[in-house]
């Protein structure tokens, strides 16, 4: 025998109505969570797409000399000498992407004499504007890592081979 108290007609109607409402909520499609998720389908982006957009946006900033750490820059210098090789715009960019948000790390070399604070802030602003505007993802953070400063005489030393400088000394 059950110890439950019998329900009145009103209580039974409320319980049935609550059950119907919960079933309706379970059947309704989930509300779109951003511009990439609509009631008619979902658009997905690879991290490489976000990295390319961020890389182009960072390179546009005045004061950015190069992108990436020393190893990436050395590899890029070698590939630049290959005819018809494409430039890797994702070098120096690291992306963590979810369904609606992304976080981006940018590694750069800045020109000597520019304000690193201003360059960092401009990179951050430009990357956020470009990525949010073109992908619809919310950029939660852009971390800028300055790994080197390009000095004006650095290019002259790299272009001159050791043999050339030795010949100049002998003459």
């Amino acid at each position: 025998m059950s110890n439950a108290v019998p329900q009145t007609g009103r209580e039974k109607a409320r319980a049935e109505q609550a059950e119907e409402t919960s079933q309706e909520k379970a059947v309704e499609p989930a509300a779109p969570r951003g511009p990439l998720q609509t009631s008619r389908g979902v658009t997905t982006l690879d991290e490489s797409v976000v990295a390319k957009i961020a890389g182009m946006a960072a390179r546009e900033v005045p004061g950015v000399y190069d992108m990436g750490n020393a190893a990436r820059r050395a590899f890029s210098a070698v590939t630049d000498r290959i005819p018809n090789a494409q430039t890797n715009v994702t070098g120096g960019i690291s992306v963590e992407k979810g369904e609606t948000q992304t976080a981006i790390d940018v590694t750069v070399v800045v020109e000597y004499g520019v304000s690193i604070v201003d360059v960092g802030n401009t990179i951050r602003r430009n990357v956020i504007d470009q990525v949010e505007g073109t992908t619809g993802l919310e950029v939660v953070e852009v971390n800028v890592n300055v790994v080197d400063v390009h000095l004006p005489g650095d290019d002259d030393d790299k272009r001159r081979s050791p043999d050339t400088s030795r010949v100049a000394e002998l003459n």
Side-chain angles (χ1 to χ4, degrees):
M1 191 173 204
S2 162
N3 288 338
V5 178
Q7 293 181 335
T8 63
R10 249 189 224 154
E11 290 171 336
K12 284 182 184 178
R14 279 190 215 139
E16 288 172 2
Q17 187 177 14
E19 188 175 320
E20 288 175 11
T21 304
S22 66
Q23 287 176 353
E24 287 175 7
K25 287 182 182 176
V27 174
E28 288 180 19
R33 296 186 309 187
L36 297 174
Q37 293 85 22
T38 68
S39 61
R40 294 184 170 233
V42 176
T43 302
T44 58
L45 302 170
D46 283 343
E47 287 183 355
S48 63
V49 172
V50 177
K52 282 184 179 182
I53 295 166
M56 290 301 295
R59 281 174 171 74
E60 292 174 353
V61 174
V64 173
Y65 176 75
D66 204 355
M67 303 280 296
N69 58 23
R72 204 236 33 107
R73 293 191 318 267
F75 179 74
S76 180
V78 171
T79 58
D80 285 347
R81 295 170 195 231
I82 300 171
N84 300 325
Q86 291 183 340
T87 303
N88 181 8
V89 296
T90 61
I93 302 291
S94 174
V95 173
E96 292 180 32
K97 187 189 76 60
E99 290 181 19
T100 60
Q101 296 179 327
T102 188
I104 301 167
D105 294 333
V106 180
T107 304
V108 296
V109 176
V110 297
E111 294 279 355
Y112 173 76
V114 299
S115 168
I116 293 175
V117 173
D118 290 344
V119 170
N121 288 336
T122 306
I123 289 171
R124 192 170 291 109
R125 187 173 45 253
N126 203 32
V127 167
I128 290 170
D129 290 347
Q130 291 296 321
V131 171
E132 286 184 348
T134 58
T135 67
L137 292 169
E138 176 190 2
V139 179
V140 291
E141 68 180 0
V142 175
N143 298 309
V144 179
N145 181 22
V146 178
V147 294
D148 201 359
V149 174
H150 176 259
L151 301 175
D154 285 351
D155 286 339
D156 296 337
D157 295 339
K158 289 178 185 175
R159 287 185 197 146
R160 187 173 45 175
S161 69
D163 295 332
T164 307
S165 61
R166 181 78 178 135
V167 170
E169 289 175 7
L170 295 174
N171 290 333

